[in-house]
Each structure stands twice: as C-alpha cells, then as structure tokens.
Amino acid sequence: MIAFVSGPVAALGPASAVIEVGGVGMLVQCAPAVLAPLRIGEEARLATSLVVREDSLTLYGFVDDDERQTFELLQTASGIGPKVAQAMLAVHSPDALRTAVLRGDAKALTAVPGIGPKGAQKLLIELKDRLGAPTGAGVGRQRAVAAGPAPWSEQLHAALVGLGFAPREAEDAVVAVTPEAEAQAKPDISALLRSALRTRNRTR
C-alpha cells in the first residue's frame, strides 16, 4: 500500500495532481479541496490510498490520514466504491460524516451526488459502528484556497461534472453560487462546492 506521496507538484488537473516521486510522476485523484492549495513546482505531501482493480491501479489523495482512513472505511459499506467515497469527502469532512451517522442524519448524506434517501438510510445502519465518534479535529477547519491554475468557476464546474452533474447543470450551479464567491477575497472552492450541492438539492 502507498500511504502517502511527497514531492514537487509536476502537473494539476481538474480532478488530479501529478506528484514527482524519485523521478516518477504519480497521478493522484483528488477532490477540489485537496487540489486547491497545490502549486506546480512546489512541494506537497498527500495521504494516499491505492485502489486495485483487475484492469487498473488508481491512487486517491487526501489532506491527511484521517481523510484517507475515512475513505477506506466508507468503502466497507455495500454499494460504496471509491468514487462515491471520494464524493462524500468532497461534500463533508470526516468529522461531519461521523456526526451525521451518529445523529442518523440521512439528509446530510443525500447531499452527496449518487446517494438517495434509501441509500442514505442503509448507509446510516452500515456505518454506525464503523466510523466512530467525532474527534473534533475538523471542527471549524478552514481549507485556505489561493488563486489556482484556473479561475474558481472553472475549478468548481470541473468538480461538479466529476461528481456526476451534467455540464449544463454544473453551469447553473456555478451561476447560483457566484454571489457567494464574489463576496470572498479568495474563493473557497470547498465551501462553494457544498453550496452548489445544496442548490441542486433545493431544485430536486
């Protein structure tokens, strides 16, 4: 297992980063909040989880070990693969997920693209004794976002499409959160993503 990668950032994409490790470029799939602070040419350290399939080896990257461990625990629930687990962590911090499961908050889980009311209820049952109690580590945590390789709107649009939005639907969500973004000196992609997902839920 590859527990983390550390090295200069060689490239950035809408949903991935390439980290140079010992002369080899490691492609790491990441949520927007993980990518936001990264800069090409600067050193980065990402906690990682390797997902092995018959036809692929995919490396997923996270801010810290807590996110990585939560990502792996989420996949022990039936019907939850790496993409849905990553989407859950794009919408909620590990502690927010623990709190939702502890309180039986199905609505919080349905904020994640791909999880409906029935699926949320099933997850609450399956994850109840797996995620544990909130640690408090994520309370009030702000992920600073500086100007990235692309404008915030492009990053947000790419993130929404990656989470299952149709391109036109993603455009509408970006428009809906534009006032919030313009009110911020440095748009927080993670916060804007959550707002966009809430906007989608209101229009269902």
Side-chain angles (χ1 to χ4, degrees), residues 11-18 27-36 38 46 58-61 83 86 149 154-155 157-163:
L12 290 170
S16 64
V18 176
L27 179 64
V28 187
Q29 302 298 317
C30 305
V34 179
L35 292 171
L38 303 184
L46 298 177
T58 306
L59 199 60
Y60 289 85
K83 289 186 177 181
Q86 186 182 48
E154 292 182 17
Q155 293 185 53
H157 186 277
L160 290 168
V161 171
L163 289 173

Side-chain angles (χ1 to χ4, degrees), residues 97-108:
L97 286 172
R98 294 184 188 107
T99 299
V101 172
L102 186 66
R103 295 177 177 174
D105 187 356
K107 187 176 181 181

Side-chain angles (χ1 to χ4, degrees), residues 8 21 58 68 85 89 118 125 152 160 166 191:
V21 181
T58 306
R68 174 180 58 79
L89 286 166
K118 290 184 178 179
I125 295 171
W152 70 265
L160 290 168

Side-chain angles (χ1 to χ4, degrees), residues 89-93 143 189-198:
L89 286 166
V91 177
H92 299 295
S93 68
R143 289 169 175 165
I189 301 300
S190 181
L192 292 172
L193 178 61
R194 292 184 174 90
S195 296
L197 291 168
R198 287 195 293 270

Side-chain angles (χ1 to χ4, degrees), residues 7-8 11 29 36 68 73 76 79 97 103 136-137 142 150 171 180 202:
Q29 302 298 317
R68 174 180 58 79
L73 284 171
T76 64
L97 286 172
R103 295 177 177 174
Q142 295 292 325
E171 289 172 11
E180 179 183 344
R202 288 197 296 269

Side-chain angles (χ1 to χ4, degrees), residues 16-179:
S16 64
V18 176
I19 308 296
E20 184 178 339
V21 181
V24 177
M26 306 288 284
L27 179 64
V28 187
Q29 302 298 317
C30 305
V34 179
L35 292 171
L38 303 184
R39 298 290 179 273
I40 293 176
E42 294 185 3
E43 292 288 322
R45 184 185 188 281
L46 298 177
T48 57
S49 179
L50 181 64
V51 175
V52 180
R53 295 287 184 267
E54 289 185 4
D55 58 348
S56 66
L57 296 173
T58 306
L59 199 60
Y60 289 85
F62 308 94
V63 170
D64 53 33
D65 290 337
D66 189 25
E67 279 196 355
R68 174 180 58 79
Q69 291 166 4
T70 303
F71 172 79
E72 293 170 353
L73 284 171
L74 291 173
Q75 291 177 79
T76 64
S78 57
I80 300 297
K83 289 186 177 181
V84 175
Q86 186 182 48
M88 293 176 75
L89 286 166
V91 177
H92 299 295
S93 68
D95 252 13
L97 286 172
R98 294 184 188 107
T99 299
V101 172
L102 186 66
R103 295 177 177 174
D105 187 356
K107 187 176 181 181
L109 297 185
T110 59
V112 179
I115 298 179
K118 290 184 178 179
Q121 291 293 344
K122 186 177 180 182
L123 281 173
L124 290 175
I125 295 171
E126 291 195 33
L127 295 174
K128 184 177 181 181
D129 298 320
R130 301 182 191 180
L131 291 185
T135 64
V139 175
R141 180 176 62 184
Q142 295 292 325
R143 289 169 175 165
V145 178
W152 70 265
S153 58
E154 292 182 17
Q155 293 185 53
L156 181 59
H157 186 277
L160 290 168
V161 171
L163 289 173
F165 277 56
R168 179 57 185 273
E169 193 176 22
E171 289 172 11
D172 292 342
V174 170
V175 170
V177 300
T178 294

